[in-house]
């Protein structure tokens, strides 16, 4: 049983989807959880309410991680509320899909700034307090798109591949202080976005996945909780695929 009692966690993009599942899972296993959200205050309030219903402290912080000053403010607010950040989960991400020849510079830049730069800004902001504490867990949410590439997702695939490199560099830099950095690489997960896919495409995805189904946000959250726990103390610089066998490396 993973026990996060006494830990404080910070999850970016935690109001909905996989981020919400991660927030709830960490709280259910004993952690107080702060999370950032961009604009959906109603969803953020609902997620915070679920955390508090589990008997844990919750802190919902509005802010866009692609702004470095905002990232620092999110970490500062968490430190003021909880006194420490034991766990950082870089989950915030967006998509702006298009073929390369049609992709706008703005769509390229916005995805890289949110999905990759944002993770860097958040990691940079928690590094000092984690170094002082001589411990911490950083978990980045990458994707099969970052491992294998995806048609129509040059920006997203590049950002998620960059996140893998950031994870490994972070792991090397911070290991001497007992801080681990790992990533979870989900495959196709049942969310609001994938539910809108054409049924024919869903069947193609299932056919290409050895376990022949979509994953769930709870399955992604379980992997994050493991990497955030003491059970994973000797694991760092690793990419844990939660993809039903879609990408085997």
């Amino acid at each position: 049983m993973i026990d996060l009692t006494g830990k404080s966690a910070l999850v970016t993009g935690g109001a909905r989807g996989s981020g919400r599942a991660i927030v709830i899972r960490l709280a259910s296993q004993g952690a107080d959880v702060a999370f950032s959200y961009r604009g959906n205050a109603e969803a953020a309030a609902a997620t915070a309410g679920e955390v508090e219903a589990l008997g844990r402290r919750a802190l919902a912080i509005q802010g866009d991680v692609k702004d470095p000053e905002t990232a620092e403010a999110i970490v500062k607010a968490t430190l003021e509320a909880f006194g420490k950040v034991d766990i950082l989960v870089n989950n915030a991400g967006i998509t702006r899909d298009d073929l390369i020849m049609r992709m706008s510079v703005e769509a390229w830049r916005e995805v890289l700034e949110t999905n990759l730069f944002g993770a860097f800004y958040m990691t940079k902001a928690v590094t000092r307090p984690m170094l002082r504490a001589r411990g911490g867990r950083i978990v980045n949410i990458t994707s099969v798109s970052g491992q294998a590439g995806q048609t129509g997702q040059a920006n997203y695939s590049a950002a998620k591949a960059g996140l893998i490199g950031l994870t490994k560099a972070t792991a090397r830099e911070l290991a001497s202080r007992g801080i681990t950095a790992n990533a979870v690489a989900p495959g196709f997960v049942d969310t609001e976005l994938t539910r809108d896919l054409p049924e024919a495409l869903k069947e193609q995805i299932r056919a290409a996945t050895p376990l022949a189904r979509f994953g769930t946000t709870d399955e992604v959250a379980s992997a994050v909780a493991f990497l955030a726990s003491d059970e994973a103390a000797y694991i760092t610089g690793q990419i844990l695929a939660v993809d039903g066998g879609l990408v085997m490396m």
Side-chain angles (χ1 to χ4, degrees):
M1 173 67 179
I2 291 170
D3 185 5
L4 300 177
T5 302
K7 303 292 187 182
S8 64
L10 171 55
V11 181
T12 64
R16 295 184 295 169
S18 293
R20 174 189 166 279
I22 291 165
V23 168
I24 301 304
R25 177 58 60 87
L26 296 179
S28 70
Q29 297 188 201
D32 295 321
V33 188
F35 63 92
S36 70
Y37 67 99
R38 282 211 305 175
N40 193 327
E42 186 177 348
T47 300
E50 289 191 60
V51 171
E52 290 167 350
L54 291 166
R56 307 314 312 167
R57 291 182 292 171
L59 177 65
I61 309 165
Q62 185 172 16
D64 195 332
V65 298
K66 72 180 181 181
D67 176 64
E69 292 182 358
T70 300
E72 289 183 12
I74 291 168
V75 172
K76 183 179 179 183
T78 305
L79 289 169
E80 288 175 351
F82 299 154
K84 58 180 182 169
V85 179
D86 299 300
I87 301 158
L88 169 66
V89 182
N90 284 311
N91 168 76
I94 60 171
T95 56
R96 297 288 184 268
D97 296 354
D98 212 339
L99 296 175
I100 290 172
M101 64 180 178
R102 291 204 299 255
M103 184 176 289
S104 68
V105 172
E106 290 75 19
W108 169 267
R109 180 180 292 116
E110 189 173 6
V111 170
L112 267 289
E113 286 183 347
T114 298
N115 299 15
L116 180 57
F117 288 30
F120 166 72
Y121 298 145
M122 293 298 301
T123 299
K124 181 177 173 64
V126 300
T127 296
R128 200 174 300 279
M130 282 188 176
L131 287 171
R132 281 198 296 265
R134 301 191 71 85
R137 300 279 182 269
I138 298 171
V139 183
N140 296 321
I141 307 301
T142 180
S143 168
V144 294
S145 295
Q147 295 174 302
Q150 193 72 22
T151 300
Q153 287 195 321
N155 48 6
Y156 188 78
S157 296
K160 293 299 189 179
L163 203 49
I164 291 172
L166 176 63
T167 300
K168 294 183 177 184
T170 303
R172 289 188 184 277
E173 285 193 22
L174 303 182
S176 66
R177 294 296 184 94
I179 301 165
T180 66
N182 294 286
V184 172
F188 289 92
V189 175
D190 184 18
T191 64
E192 293 173 6
L193 291 175
T194 56
R195 282 175 207 141
D196 293 336
L197 293 174
E199 193 55 42
L201 178 56
K202 290 182 183 179
E203 283 302 318
Q204 289 178 15
I205 292 167
R206 292 188 193 103
T209 303
L211 288 182
R213 66 173 177 85
F214 281 62
T216 69
T217 56
D218 283 341
E219 287 169 327
V220 175
S222 293
V224 173
F226 167 65
L227 292 173
S229 73
D230 290 341
E231 278 82 353
Y234 199 54
I235 300 172
T236 196
Q238 302 304 307
I239 315 303
L240 177 54
V242 183
D243 64 2
L246 185 62
V247 176
M248 298 190 189
M249 301 182 72

